[in-house]
Amino acid sequence: MTLSPSSATGLVGRDNFPHRHLLGIANLAPHEIRFLLDEAEQWASLNRAGSRKHDDRLAGLTQMNAFFEASTRTLLSFEVAGKRLGADVVNMHAAQSSVKKGETLIDTAVTLNAMRADVMVIRHMSSGAVQLIADKVDCPVLNAGDGRHEHPTQALLDALTIRRRKGSFEGLIVTICGDILHSRVARSNMLCLTALGAQVRVCAPPTLMPPAVERYRVTPFHDFEAALDGADVVMMLRIQNERMEGGFIPSAREFNRLYGLTPERLKRAKADAIVMHPGPMNRGVEIMSSVADDDERSTITEQVEMGVAVRMACLDILTRAARGVPGWA
């Protein structure tokens, strides 16, 4: 099955997306983000139509998922995406990595490159590690999350979910609440949503708010109720204990008392506001189950669904040059 090219930009072929890799949102122009969303929208529609194997456009290509950090949703999503496109998908888990035996990241990158994968998906606990690997390999690289830096496909799937629910981004008020300081999801979403025209508020305790966060063109809040007033989208983030050293919050109970999303607090947002969470959720800490499981307002399972579509689009686009697609080679 052949998908029609996006016409939203008026550009042709590689001019729509001139990048070899997808390492972050920061270096993408708004029209490039919209192009990725338009391409993903087509896959989302086909996935919902029940066609689980659409074509074999990546047949004969090897997709290597090298995850140096534990993951469930992201790894499975990339694996499903690659297989639906016909790729040969190989997963490398952190526990199996030679890095555990003392090998340097550069040596690992050289080793991975010698295996001649056609596209690599990299997740790493250190910021900048994916860029380092991308500089050492001969194939396109997708960043599946690196330290506190970025998680671009998560921001894209969140944006796609919002656009499908709200239609556009202009004038939307998006409140992101939780561990902003340690969250690569927050960083990528701030960059993505402001580029698309949304008004982004970020809310966290002072200890979990990045310094000079205003440079991302967002408005910081420490009062959750105030941050929720009139919001169209409420995105909750978990406390990332694995990235913390020292006491950033008194306790999970205290965080929930001040920053947990309850049905009562949600009333401060717009009546049709949607609730998002990138997962995994800490129920009873940053979000109550009654909110997370609200069929009308919660988009949490829809985000997972859109993740497959976004990753199919990214894998397709980044391998077009290698496949000799006209206008991309």
Side-chain angles (χ1 to χ4, degrees):
M1 183 177 295
T2 301
L3 297 182
S4 60
S6 171
S7 59
T9 62
L11 301 174
V12 177
R14 183 175 283 279
D15 290 339
N16 280 295
F17 195 83
H19 309 280
R20 183 182 180 214
H21 308 295
L22 179 59
L23 303 180
I25 300 294
N27 64 333
L28 301 184
H31 77 268
E32 294 167 352
I33 297 173
R34 293 189 185 96
F35 172 72
L36 293 174
L37 297 182
D38 291 342
E39 293 290 301
E41 179 68 52
Q42 300 176 80
W43 290 117
S45 297
L46 286 173
N47 287 340
R48 282 201 168 178
S51 179
R52 294 293 181 259
K53 186 67 175 291
H54 308 296
D55 58 39
D56 290 324
R57 64 181 60 197
L58 266 61
L61 300 187
T62 299
Q63 171 189 330
M64 182 179 293
N65 298 329
F67 278 53
F68 299 87
E69 184 179 53
S71 168
T72 300
R73 291 164 183 77
T74 304
L75 176 59
L76 287 176
S77 183
F78 269 111
E79 183 173 6
V80 170
K83 287 182 176 179
R84 286 191 182 171
L85 293 170
D88 297 320
V89 181
V90 179
N91 295 329
M92 187 195 81
H93 300 278
Q96 302 165 348
S97 169
S98 294
V99 172
K100 293 287 186 181
K101 304 173 184 177
E103 184 174 79
T104 69
L105 187 59
I106 291 178
D107 286 338
T108 298
V110 171
T111 299
L112 294 177
N113 191 52
M115 296 179 188
R116 302 299 178 194
D118 298 288
V119 61
M120 290 187 191
V121 181
I122 309 290
R123 187 183 185 100
H124 202 280
M125 68 290 294
S126 298
S127 300
V130 178
Q131 175 72 67
L132 188 150
I133 292 174
D135 290 341
K136 298 293 182 181
V137 300
D138 300 323
C139 67
V141 171
L142 287 91
N143 182 1
D146 62 329
R148 301 185 192 179
H149 177 228
E150 282 219 46
H151 195 347
T153 58
Q154 180 68 48
L156 291 168
L157 73 88
D158 289 340
L160 182 61
T161 303
I162 292 171
R163 193 174 74 170
R164 288 172 69 95
R165 286 292 190 107
K166 296 296 182 181
S168 67
F169 298 93
E170 293 296 332
L172 279 186
I173 298 175
V174 180
T175 297
I176 304 175
C177 180
D179 186 356
I180 307 296
L181 179 64
H182 300 98
S183 177
R184 57 197 176 206
V185 172
R187 177 181 170 89
S188 287
N189 265 298
M190 288 188 287
L191 292 165
C192 184
L193 296 173
T194 55
L196 295 171
Q199 301 175 36
V200 178
R201 303 170 178 173
V202 291
C203 182
T207 53
L208 293 177
M209 184 71 75
V213 72
E214 295 89 345
R215 70 185 184 274
Y216 293 104
R217 297 185 294 147
V218 301
T219 304
F221 287 79
H222 298 307
D223 182 332
F224 191 23
E225 280 80 6
L228 285 170
D229 282 341
D232 298 283
V233 178
V234 182
M235 183 183 299
M236 302 305 298
L237 304 174
R238 70 182 178 88
I239 301 297
Q240 299 199 28
N241 294 307
E242 71 276 14
R243 302 190 196 284
M244 295 184 184
E245 293 181 5
F248 284 82
I249 58 173
S251 66
R253 175 179 291 183
E254 181 67 9
F255 182 87
N256 174 258
R257 186 180 72 82
L258 294 174
Y259 296 98
L261 185 61
T262 63
E264 293 72 27
R265 281 198 170 118
L266 186 56
K267 291 177 182 177
R268 301 187 70 108
K270 289 183 180 174
D272 62 347
I274 60 173
V275 175
M276 309 184 75
H277 196 302
M281 288 184 288
N282 292 315
R283 292 173 181 261
V285 180
E286 73 270 10
I287 190 168
M288 302 302 292
S289 290
S290 57
V291 178
D293 299 332
D294 186 325
D295 290 336
E296 292 186 5
R297 306 185 74 173
S298 173
T299 68
I300 294 170
T301 57
E302 187 176 345
Q303 288 171 262
V304 176
E305 179 187 2
M306 293 305 108
V308 175
V310 161
R311 286 152 185 154
M312 289 175 75
C314 292
L315 290 166
D316 172 27
I317 291 165
L318 290 184
T319 58
R320 286 179 183 176
R323 287 153 38 213
V325 175
W328 294 81

